[in-house]
């Protein structure tokens, strides 16, 4: 059996440490915590930056797919030229807007332009879908079903890319603003990030549609 | 559905359960310590009672002996560690290996099957929503029930397998909800966590096996009648002491090991159920479509999710829904009951009859 209780031994050990060592110890813990916070914020920031790049990738894929869709539909929709043409026009406008945004993502007006172009495109596609519904031959053709699945998927991907971006921005902003990280985030250079807002209801409807 | 809050709840509960698991392991080690002390004391006592001038050594005079405690804890720790490492090495098959074991067929990117093409698209979409790369996709052609699983120890090694029944019967959005659920398992390392628990539990079981071994040795000694001479003498006392030592220690190990294993399994099942809630909530986060997730679960209620493959029980934790029927269903169930899962997503769900899927080309 021990001659003294463990608690007494611990107490005498603690009392013997000089205050300067204790101060150093506390400082070391603070620095270590700061490093942990920094690394975490860097990780989250890189995550949302990467998520932003994904949006652009998916937008491009969608723009590339639309001309195929229109070509396939053209043979059947001989009397719906206007509908098809509006889709191509909206698509071209969106391509230009996307390129502008890719080179200057921080500019709010450029982004707003893109969102407008996107909502116009969504509207045109939606009208085209309604038209296709009344042409059962076109709707049933294998080319059309496969293409429409690809288009649905691409639209979903754009939507999910934006959602993933917003989710990661939210994670980053929350981590940045909670205590105790909030004390250090300003000093360490972590600025709040912007959410990618979808303001147009039509745009929201166009995605996740099943044929 | 407030999926972020639901995710936090599930994560916190997992943390508490893992602490409980650690306590169960410590409890088992404590049980072994007491068994050892009991065995030694009874073994020593026999010569003492027959007044052979052997005193109870001071080390065993009281129940608390720090040195003995240290040895028994270290001994238990070593045994559990070795057994766990052994079990991990046999269990840790990669994702593709598990998929093939279950009879899965890899879906290649150039597939011409419409539904498989759609499945690949769905997987890519979830990969974007969740932020992890697309895993390999397998179809279980022989499984006609509705189920899916994720396997693999890391994000790079992960696979998702979907039963033929699921591929045929789920509409696009429900299939996506199921895939999203599996992505959550991959993202949150649920397979790896579960295998770690299984490995440690095997270590606990090893204690009980050791105890059984000691009891068998004891039986052999008794059977051969080697307990000593017919007269009361030194040999007989020593013999009785050995019997007492082996018997009590063996029994103690069996009891401690079995009880520890039982509670450990209970906790493992509870952890698995929390990870299922987490996966459901994460799927809703990825798809932003709670109705699809609830409908997918509702569809399974109407149909079966039981898997035919004999290997189903091995990887039961990884399936989307309960893959086998068990006797103590609720205690050891790896998944929460379907109504509970649905209510967690949509509290006032109306449980409609699932609409049949439209035939696709």
């Amino acid at each position: 059996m021990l001659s003294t209780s463990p608690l007494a031994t611990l107490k005498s050990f603690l009392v013997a440490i000089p205050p300067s060592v204790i101060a150093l110890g506390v400082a070391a813990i603070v620095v270590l915590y700061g490093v942990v916070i920094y690394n975490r914020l860097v990780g989250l920031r890189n995550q949302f930056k990467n998520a932003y790049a994904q949006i652009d990738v998916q937008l491009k894929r969608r723009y590339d797919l639309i001309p195929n869709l229109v070509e396939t539909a053209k043979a059947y929709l001989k009397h719906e030229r206007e509908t098809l043409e509006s889709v191509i026009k909206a698509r071209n406008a969106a391509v230009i807007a996307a390129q502008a945004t890719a080179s200057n993502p921080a500019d709010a007006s450029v982004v707003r332009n893109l969102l407008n172009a996107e909502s116009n495109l969504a509207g045109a596609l939606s009208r085209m879908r309604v038209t296709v519904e009344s042409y059962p031959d076109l709707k049933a053709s294998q080319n059309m079903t496969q293409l429409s699945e690809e288009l649905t998927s691409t639209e979903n991907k754009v939507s999910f890319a934006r959602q993933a971006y917003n989710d990661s921005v939210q994670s980053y902003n929350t981590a940045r603003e909670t205590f105790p990280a909030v004390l250090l985030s300003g000093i360490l250079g972590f600025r709040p990030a912007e959410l990618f807002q979808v303001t147009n209801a039509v745009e929201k409807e166009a995605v996740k549609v099943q044929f | 559905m407030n999926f972020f809050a639901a995710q936090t709840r599930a994560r916190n509960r997992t943390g508490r359960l893992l602490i409980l698991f650690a306590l169960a392991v410590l409890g088992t080690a404590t049980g072994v310590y007491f068994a050892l002390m009991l065995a030694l004391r009874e073994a020593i006592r026999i010569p003492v009672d027959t007044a052979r001038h052997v005193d109870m050594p001071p080390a065993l005079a009281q129940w608390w002996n720090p040195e003995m405690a240290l040895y028994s804890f270290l001994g238990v720790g070593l045994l559990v560690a070795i057994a766990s490492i052994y079990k991990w090495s046999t269990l840790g098959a990669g994702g593709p290996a598990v998929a093939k074991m279950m009879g899965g067929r890899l879906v290649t990117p150039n597939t011409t099957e419409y539904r498989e093409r759609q499945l690949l698209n769905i997987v890519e979409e979830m990969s974007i929503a969740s932020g992890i790369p697309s895993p390999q996709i397998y179809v279980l052609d022989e499984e006609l029930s509705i189920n899916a699983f994720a396997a693999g120890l890391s994000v790079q090694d992960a696979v998702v397998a979907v039963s033929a029944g699921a591929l045929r019967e789920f509409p696009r959005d429900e299939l996506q909800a199921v895939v999203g659920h599996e992505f959550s398992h991959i993202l949150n390392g649920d397979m790896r966590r579960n295998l770690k628990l299984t490995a440690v539990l095997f270590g606990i079981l090893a204690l009980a096996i050791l105890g059984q071994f000691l009891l068998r040795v004891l039986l052999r000694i008794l059977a051969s009648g080697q307990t000593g001479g017919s007269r009361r003498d030194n040999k007989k006392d020593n013999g009785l002491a050995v019997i007492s030592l082996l018997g009590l220690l063996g029994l103690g190990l069996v009891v401690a090991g079995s009880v520890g294993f039982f509670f450990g399994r209970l906790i493992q099942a509870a952890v698995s159920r929390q990870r299922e809630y987490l996966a459901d909530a994460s799927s809703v986060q990825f798809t932003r479509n709670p109705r699809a997730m609830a409908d997918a679960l509702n569809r399974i209620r109407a149909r079966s999710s039981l898997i035919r493959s004999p290997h189903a029980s091995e990887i039961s934790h990884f399936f989307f829904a309960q893959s086998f029927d068990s006797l103590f269903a609720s205690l050891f169930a790896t998944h929460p009951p379907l109504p509970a899962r649905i209510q967690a997503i949509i509290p006032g769900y109306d449980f409609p009859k699932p609409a049949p899927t439209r035939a696709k080309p």
Side-chain angles (χ1 to χ4, degrees):
Chain A
M1 291 297 145
L2 297 163
S3 50
T4 52
S5 81
L7 205 58
T9 321
L10 187 64
K11 255 165 125 179
S12 55
F13 172 72
L14 282 174
V15 166
I17 305 175
S20 52
V21 174
I22 293 179
L24 261 174
V26 168
I29 290 172
V30 168
V31 167
L32 199 69
Y33 206 75
V35 168
V36 167
I37 290 173
Y38 180 83
N39 288 346
R40 183 152 178 251
L41 287 176
V42 165
L44 290 172
R45 186 171 58 188
N46 285 341
Q47 205 173 25
F48 86 71
K49 278 187 173 161
N50 183 41
Y52 190 84
Q54 262 298 333
I55 298 175
D56 202 51
V57 166
Q58 296 308 326
L59 281 177
K60 287 204 172 69
R61 285 189 57 168
R62 183 166 170 239
Y63 300 148
D64 290 343
L65 200 62
I66 288 171
N68 284 344
L69 189 73
V70 168
E71 275 308 304
T72 306
K74 244 187 197 162
Y76 295 81
L77 299 176
K78 291 194 179 71
H79 304 290
E80 311 285 357
R81 224 181 39 179
E82 243 181 67
T83 313
L84 296 178
E85 270 175 15
S86 69
V87 168
I88 292 292
K89 255 174 64 183
R91 176 256 182 198
N92 291 340
V95 166
I96 294 169
Q99 281 167 351
T101 313
S103 48
N104 200 359
D107 191 342
S109 65
V110 166
V111 171
R112 196 153 302 283
N113 219 20
L114 172 62
L115 287 174
N116 274 336
E118 270 291 305
S119 81
N120 286 339
L121 177 55
L125 279 172
S126 165
R127 282 192 294 281
M128 190 186 133
R129 248 187 268 271
V130 167
T131 311
V132 169
E133 283 291 316
S134 43
Y135 285 80
D137 284 347
L138 172 59
K139 198 173 145 186
S141 88
Q142 211 186 17
N143 265 352
M144 196 62 187
T145 21
Q146 278 172 350
L147 262 178
S148 66
E149 159 65 29
E150 294 304 318
L151 187 67
T152 305
S153 183
T154 318
E155 285 190 2
N156 288 349
K157 284 172 189 167
V158 170
S159 165
F160 285 131
R162 294 218 291 240
Q163 178 188 294
Y165 170 75
N166 283 342
D167 281 352
S168 55
V169 160
Q170 186 181 334
S171 289
Y172 167 79
N173 280 340
T174 308
R176 208 193 71 91
E177 290 160 25
T178 49
F179 191 83
V182 65
L183 301 172
L184 297 171
S185 43
I187 305 166
L188 294 171
F190 290 102
R191 251 151 289 289
E194 284 290 315
L195 292 169
F196 205 90
Q197 303 282 17
V198 177
T199 47
N200 198 311
V202 173
E203 232 274 347
K204 268 188 180 151
E205 269 171 43
V207 301
K208 299 198 198 93
V209 171
Q210 271 170 264
F211 233 109
Chain B
M1 179 201 192
N2 189 347
F3 41 79
F4 287 129
Q7 288 174 35
T8 308
R9 240 191 334 267
R11 287 202 172 94
N12 288 344
R13 288 193 182 138
T14 306
R16 287 199 286 269
L17 284 168
L18 289 176
I19 290 173
L20 212 60
F21 189 85
L23 287 176
V25 175
L26 279 174
T28 307
T30 309
V32 169
Y33 165 73
F34 279 114
L36 186 63
M37 287 300 283
L38 180 69
L40 285 171
R41 284 167 59 109
E42 290 309 307
I44 296 289
R45 195 192 297 281
I46 289 161
V48 169
D49 286 348
T50 56
R52 302 301 295 183
H53 305 294
V54 176
D55 298 314
M56 179 72 83
L60 295 176
Q62 288 173 314
W63 279 101
W64 170 240
N65 180 340
E67 221 182 307
M68 204 55 86
L70 188 67
Y71 288 149
S72 64
F73 272 75
L74 280 178
V76 166
L78 199 64
L79 179 63
V80 169
I82 292 172
S84 305
I85 292 168
Y86 161 73
K87 189 65 172 170
W88 179 265
S89 67
T90 62
L91 273 182
V98 172
K100 292 210 176 72
M101 176 183 81
M102 297 300 297
R105 170 180 52 87
L106 181 65
V107 178
T108 52
N110 52 10
T111 180
T112 50
E113 260 289 312
Y114 179 80
R115 279 299 267 176
E116 287 179 16
R117 177 79 252 150
Q118 203 176 56
L119 177 61
L120 288 179
N121 281 346
I122 287 170
V123 166
E124 274 177 45
E125 289 166 31
M126 284 294 92
S127 153
I128 292 168
S130 62
I132 55 174
S134 287
Q136 282 191 330
I137 304 299
Y138 290 81
V139 173
L140 306 170
D141 290 315
E142 302 295 315
E143 304 292 349
L144 303 175
S145 64
I146 306 180
N147 219 328
F149 71 81
L153 293 173
S154 70
V155 171
Q156 288 73 27
D157 176 56
V159 303
V160 169
V162 166
S163 72
L167 194 59
R168 198 179 46 228
E169 303 207 19
F170 278 134
R172 196 186 202 279
D173 56 350
E174 288 176 31
L175 189 58
Q176 183 151 64
V178 172
V179 169
H181 174 108
E182 300 308 328
F183 264 78
S184 169
H185 284 316
I186 297 171
L187 184 65
N188 291 306
D190 291 340
M191 297 83 79
R192 195 183 181 86
R193 180 180 291 100
N194 189 59
L195 283 174
K196 279 186 192 163
L197 292 178
T198 304
V200 173
L201 278 177
F202 182 77
I204 305 286
L205 194 64
L207 292 171
I209 294 171
L210 180 63
Q212 263 189 345
F213 174 73
L214 290 179
L215 288 175
R216 258 192 298 225
V217 169
L218 175 63
L219 276 172
R220 237 175 287 156
I221 291 176
L222 288 174
S224 66
Q226 294 273 342
T227 50
S230 52
R231 304 167 283 115
R232 269 165 74 89
D233 62 0
N234 222 12
K235 246 192 173 171
K236 188 164 186 196
D237 293 334
N238 284 345
L240 276 173
V242 168
I243 290 169
S244 162
L245 187 68
L246 280 175
L248 285 172
L249 187 59
L251 196 64
L253 279 171
V254 166
V255 168
S258 306
V259 169
F261 185 77
F262 177 81
F263 282 104
R265 266 270 191 258
L266 272 182
I267 296 169
Q268 184 185 36
V271 168
S272 176
R273 289 195 294 272
Q274 285 309 312
R275 298 322 271 189
E276 289 304 317
Y277 281 124
L278 176 64
D280 287 345
S282 300
S283 176
V284 175
Q285 179 203 338
F286 299 149
T287 62
R288 293 307 211 270
N289 192 351
R291 187 80 206 182
M293 188 71 209
D295 286 345
L297 289 165
N298 188 41
R299 194 173 291 271
I300 292 175
R301 280 187 83 224
R303 287 266 279 106
S304 160
S305 60
L306 300 180
I307 295 292
R308 283 169 48 185
S309 165
H311 298 283
S313 55
E314 279 173 53
I315 64 160
S316 65
H317 295 257
F318 310 152
F319 275 98
F320 176 69
Q322 195 75 26
S323 59
F324 66 96
D325 276 328
S326 86
L327 200 56
F328 299 94
S330 58
L331 276 182
F332 290 99
T334 49
H335 295 72
L338 286 169
R341 287 172 74 178
I342 295 175
Q343 298 286 357
I345 299 164
I346 297 179
Y349 190 73
D350 51 346
F351 296 96
K353 188 154 175 276
T357 312
R358 282 180 296 170
K360 293 277 187 189

